[in-house]
Amino acid sequence: MKVELRFSTERVSEPIISSVILQEKAQINILRAQVSEDGGRVLLEVPDNQADEIIKAFRKLGAEVIVGKIIEIIEDKCIECGHCITLCPVNAIFFEKDYSIGLDEQKCIQCDSCLDACPTRAIKLYGE
Amino acid sequence: MEYLRHKNINVRKIHNKLQQKRNLQLENIRTIEEINEKIRKGDVNVVTAEEMVELVREKGSTIAAKDVDVVTTGTFGAMCSSGAFLNFGHSDPPIKMENLTLNGVNTYHGNAAVDCYLGVTKMHPEKPFEYGGGHVLEDLVSGKEIELEAAGYGTDCYPRKYLKTIITLQDLNQAILCNPRNAYQRYATATNGRDEIIYTYMGKLLPNFGNATFSGSGSLSPLSKDPNYETIGIGTRIFLGGSIGYVIGEGTQHSPTNKFGTIMVKGDLGKMRPEFLKGAAFTRYGTSLYVGLGIPIPILNEGLAKKTGVSDEDLKTNVLDYGIARRDRPVLKETNYAELKSGKIVIDNKEVSVTPLSSIKKAREIAKILKEWIEKTQFFLTAPVDRLPVDTIVKPMKVVSRIPFVNEIMENVVTCNLNDNIDVLAKKIIDNNVNHIAVIDDNDKLLGIITSFDITKAIATGKKGLEEIMTRNVITVYPEESVDICATKLEKYNISALPVVDRSNKLKGIITSEKISSLLGRIGLR
Ligand code: SF4
Ligand code: SF4
């Protein structure tokens, strides 16, 4: 599953992720990382069966952990044109058989590519 | 000889038979009045265009023509040539509105005192590419309050000079959606051959044919189901924005001779529904309006059964490279709507993800709703009072001062090879009095560019190899692009020259910023 970490500027230089990987012996995949003046934000893919332990470990080390919504397509805005499908590098968005828009939220890596392409601005990323 | 004569007779026989069949197909088997009578009685047979395709495929056009009275079509796409005439009534004291904005969006008011036309592509000056005329129309139809601000110069009869108020759709005398060009018969598929993302009215197009978009609903598309406008004409009653509308003539740029017909339509905004009129924003292109439109096609003869039965496979369209911003964009290949709806097309041996920019689901819904309206005696067909033109063409704009293209103004470029040394380059720069040297391989393909400043820097820092000092990711232009594109690129990337390359990256010449400035200065664009 996907979790987002946020940490303050002081903690950016600490090896939080490596510590947790070693401590929990977990395979953690870094999908997106961003460091700015307001601190660091990292999107991680963690194994489902170890998720609880991993989240606890991160919190212990002072990182804020956000679990839950990654992306949403706002239903009454979306006109189901499908343009976002062609922009998604990980096939998180797709057409159902009847041309409705399907979304596999867990696949989304929050790359932003679809956001400015949506003609009705129906896509919302969380944690922005 | 005997054999030939025999053959000739056979050919003639077949020809006659074909002719007879054609005449039969054109022979009307029912009239619009008869269809309306059936609607009234509740025993009309209506199918959607998609159902008709199946029916004709299974049972043939003769049986389909006998069985079906009406075929309903639908489309839901961004239609930039849309807008509304609005009348607000008079204030007291009255004002002749000179500058009028609705939610901050400028309207056109070169009509009488309190009339205006709100175009869907007009953008809010502070929210460009996010909010525009199309959104104001959607907000109006949704029943939202709209801020109206107007200024006038004050006349003896209209003394008021300023006005600010809040209105809703209910408060207007007339709100008439009037779209000069809707429902293109067919439209091209867009992709991008450039090496950068482009933002177009066909959406966000990724570099190197990274994705593609198309418009139109294929076999559901209204005008492609009556391609000779036999039943669609002035006065045809249609589905427009969730309510009833009318075709009021041919659309602007109507081009029947090459099957790019369009229609002009109108309808009462007050009765429309926001699900079928949606404001749209295309990043770095502008705003627009998604319009839901559906046309019922009466099956008056077998010919019309055949035409409404045309499938996605049979509806062809070209894939164009929108990376080349010219009036005639290069055609990359032909495709059809079946392939497009499959989600993948092959361009340049590469599988490319393609989706519509219009909504197929909504188009289907519209054809279905129209079918229900007819079945439930809520919608009657009209015979056109006049036909749309069938023999006109679209002319390009007449331009008296023309802007040159890259291949007309590019200059020769001084080149070198990767293994040349810096002294040679320095000499080339002095001898030719240039600032840029292009690095090419044995096949003239562009590898990089070196400026006189790069050379100075290299000497100062003791660097020797050209690999170390040249710029590799060179911004280039194609010979067939226009000078405006050069100016935009020079400015956007803050560079002083653009090598000109062909599609295979072969070096053709160079365009420098000095050349562009002097040229644009002369044309008076700067
Ligand atoms: S943000 Fe990126 S990964 Fe997520 S749905 Fe959009 S395009 Fe796909
Ligand atoms: S681009 Fe926007 S409107 Fe179109 S399908 Fe995707 S989310 Fe919906």
Side-chain angles (χ1 to χ4, degrees):
Chain A
M1 70 184 278
K2 289 203 176 67
V3 296
E4 191 182 290
L5 294 189
R6 296 212 195 155
F7 31 118
S8 57
T9 340
E10 303 86 69
R11 295 203 175 255
V12 165
S13 54
E14 290 171 23
I16 295 181
I17 299 175
S18 336
S19 310
V20 173
I21 291 178
L22 291 175
Q23 183 189 322
E24 298 296 322
K25 299 199 179 39
Q27 297 200 332
I28 295 180
N29 205 358
I30 302 179
L31 299 172
R32 211 172 69 135
Q34 192 181 317
V35 178
S36 70
E37 57 276 18
D38 336 311
R41 285 178 40 191
V42 183
L43 186 68
L44 301 175
E45 173 87 54
V46 302
D48 286 352
N49 54 352
Q50 289 169 278
D52 289 348
E53 296 305 312
I54 292 169
I55 291 169
K56 260 189 226 149
F58 276 124
R59 290 197 171 132
K60 229 181 185 166
L61 290 172
E64 188 187 342
V65 186
I66 296 169
V67 200
K69 273 217 146 332
I70 295 162
I71 181 175
E72 187 189 10
I73 294 182
I74 300 161
E75 224 174 90
D76 27 297
K77 281 194 175 179
C78 172
I79 52 161
E80 301 183 285
C81 64
H83 188 31
C84 49
I85 295 173
T86 69
L87 293 151
C88 182
V90 294
N91 300 322
I93 316 179
F94 50 89
F95 268 137
E96 307 276 9
K97 270 224 155 56
D98 67 345
Y99 289 102
S100 308
I101 291 292
L103 173 67
D104 186 345
E105 190 176 345
Q106 280 299 320
K107 272 193 181 168
C108 172
I109 52 166
Q110 296 201 325
C111 74
D112 282 4
S113 169
C114 59
L115 285 197
D116 64 350
C118 173
T120 56
R121 307 293 188 238
I123 307 173
K124 189 168 163 23
L125 291 186
Y126 285 86
E128 288 293 298
Chain B
M1 256 335 247
E2 191 52 29
Y3 163 76
L4 266 184
R5 208 179 302 143
H6 191 69
K7 199 176 171 192
N8 267 340
I9 289 167
N10 266 345
V11 168
R12 196 169 307 134
K13 256 193 189 158
I14 292 169
H15 184 81
N16 283 343
K17 261 209 169 139
L18 274 177
Q19 195 59 44
Q20 268 173 10
K21 201 167 170 214
R22 209 166 290 147
N23 290 342
L24 264 181
Q25 279 182 10
L26 290 175
E27 215 169 87
N28 279 356
I29 50 176
R30 60 175 74 81
T31 64
I32 288 181
E33 294 78 58
E34 282 163 4
I35 295 175
N36 280 338
E37 193 46 44
K38 279 178 132 185
I39 298 177
R40 221 164 273 130
K41 284 195 194 129
D43 65 358
V44 65
N45 190 13
V46 192
V47 299
T48 68
E50 282 182 324
E51 291 164 347
M52 187 65 169
V53 173
E54 287 312 309
L55 194 67
V56 170
R57 209 191 313 251
E58 270 167 35
K59 300 201 171 150
S61 56
T62 314
I63 292 183
K66 265 197 204 113
D67 285 358
V68 175
D69 300 305
V70 185
V71 171
T72 58
T73 61
T75 186
F76 186 79
M79 304 191 195
C80 290
S81 238
S82 301
F85 285 107
L86 308 172
N87 177 284
F88 304 96
H90 287 290
S91 60
D92 187 27
I95 183 170
K96 177 173 185 283
M97 299 191 294
E98 179 61 11
N99 281 312
L100 167 64
T101 60
L102 293 171
N103 275 359
V105 178
N106 255 302
T107 65
Y108 175 78
H109 40 80
N111 313 95
V114 289
D115 279 328
C116 82
Y117 186 77
L118 174 64
V120 301
T121 64
K122 194 73 194 171
M123 295 191 281
H124 190 294
E126 275 124 50
K127 290 182 262 178
F129 311 109
E130 292 300 325
Y131 190 86
H135 298 92
V136 178
L137 289 185
E138 184 191 335
D139 285 346
L140 268 172
V141 170
S142 311
K144 291 191 186 154
E145 292 188 330
I146 305 286
E147 186 180 277
L148 179 159
E149 195 172 3
Y153 47 81
T155 71
D156 289 342
C157 41
Y158 292 108
R160 191 157 184 166
K161 289 195 168 165
Y162 179 76
L163 181 82
K164 195 172 182 173
T165 181
I166 302 281
I167 52 138
T168 66
L169 192 53
Q170 302 286 317
D171 303 319
L172 305 188
N173 289 316
Q174 276 79 26
I176 304 165
L177 189 75
C178 184
N179 304 343
R181 176 168 75 252
N182 275 182
Y184 253 114
Q185 192 161 355
R186 59 194 178 112
Y187 212 82
T189 299
T191 185
N192 169 24
R194 250 196 263 172
D195 52 10
E196 57 183 349
I197 293 180
I198 57 170
Y199 288 88
T200 71
Y201 66 86
M202 290 296 284
K204 179 175 175 180
L205 298 174
L206 300 174
N208 308 315
F209 309 128
N211 66 342
T213 58
F214 66 97
S215 198
S217 49
S219 61
L220 275 165
S221 164
L223 290 192
S224 63
K225 296 274 127 152
D226 180 10
N228 304 321
Y229 331 113
E230 292 162 62
T231 71
I232 302 173
I234 299 178
T236 300
R237 186 178 290 136
I238 61 171
F239 173 109
L240 184 63
S243 177
I244 282 173
Y246 294 90
V247 174
I248 55 174
E250 85 267 30
T252 53
Q253 287 181 26
H254 177 63
S255 186
T257 29
N258 54 8
K259 300 269 177 270
F260 273 100
T262 73
I263 47 176
M264 192 180 287
V265 299
K266 68 146 270 194
D268 182 355
L269 205 62
K271 299 201 172 97
M272 294 186 187
R273 285 159 49 187
E275 308 97 273
F276 297 107
L277 280 186
K278 277 254 180 231
F282 293 97
T283 305
R284 283 164 60 183
Y285 166 71
T287 58
S288 188
L289 181 73
Y290 273 83
V291 179
L293 192 153
I295 304 185
I297 297 170
I299 304 305
L300 304 178
N301 52 51
E302 192 185 332
L304 281 163
K306 236 187 187 153
K307 285 166 200 149
T308 47
V310 162
S311 68
D312 280 329
E313 286 83 10
D314 298 326
L315 289 168
K316 314 266 187 239
T317 166
N318 286 330
V319 181
L320 302 188
D321 184 358
Y322 273 60
I324 302 289
R326 291 285 296 271
R327 183 174 57 223
D328 298 315
R329 300 182 172 91
V331 176
L332 298 169
K333 64 178 285 185
E334 194 188 72
T335 180
N336 63 57
Y337 275 90
E339 204 175 36
L340 291 171
K341 285 183 184 176
S342 79
K344 299 266 180 238
I345 49 170
V346 175
I347 304 171
D348 241 18
N349 293 321
K350 186 174 144 185
E351 206 174 66
V352 177
S353 170
V354 60
T355 58
L357 256 192
S358 46
S359 170
I360 295 177
K361 199 175 159 207
K362 287 247 184 196
R364 257 187 201 159
E365 201 181 320
I366 289 166
K368 250 200 195 139
I369 293 177
L370 191 49
K371 174 179 162 169
E372 278 169 23
W373 282 355
I374 298 171
E375 285 170 345
K376 289 186 180 154
T377 330
Q378 292 163 355
F379 187 107
F380 290 90
L381 270 48
T382 54
V385 292
D386 219 336
R387 287 194 64 180
L388 302 180
V390 290
D391 55 359
T392 50
I393 51 158
V394 174
K395 289 178 283 197
M397 182 189 280
K398 178 186 167 196
V399 177
V400 285
S401 69
R402 99 182 243 293
I403 288 196
F405 294 103
V406 168
N407 52 8
E408 298 164 348
I409 59 149
M410 65 188 183
E411 293 167 287
N412 283 335
V413 50
V414 179
T415 60
C416 71
N417 297 115
L418 257 189
N419 38 24
D420 282 342
N421 73 41
I422 293 205
D423 305 344
V424 176
L425 260 67
K427 189 164 178 336
K428 279 189 176 180
I429 283 190
I430 302 291
D431 290 352
N432 295 290
N433 187 25
V434 290
N435 274 318
H436 304 87
I437 294 191
V439 188
I440 52 173
D441 68 8
D442 295 342
N443 300 316
D444 285 351
K445 299 216 169 158
L446 181 67
L447 298 174
I449 193 137
I450 295 178
T451 65
S452 42
F453 181 69
D454 293 332
I455 294 186
T456 318
K457 211 164 71 184
I459 292 170
T461 54
K463 284 187 182 150
K464 288 262 148 55
L466 299 196
E467 295 234 28
E468 282 180 84
I469 61 169
M470 76 176 181
T471 303
R472 280 164 199 283
N473 285 332
V474 190
I475 310 291
T476 57
V477 281
Y478 294 128
E480 65 277 14
E481 289 191 288
S482 82
V483 167
D484 318 52
I485 298 262
C486 300
T488 313
K489 282 193 174 178
L490 289 168
E491 204 168 307
K492 181 168 161 198
Y493 296 103
N494 191 22
I495 47 179
S496 51
L498 292 160
V500 182
V501 294
D502 68 9
R503 293 269 149 178
S504 62
N505 200 32
K506 235 184 195 170
L507 186 67
K508 297 285 170 190
I510 195 162
I511 297 266
T512 59
S513 55
E514 298 98 68
K515 179 90 185 183
I516 296 283
S517 316
S518 71
L519 208 94
L520 292 187
R522 219 180 313 136
I523 305 174
L525 284 182
R526 273 270 154 105

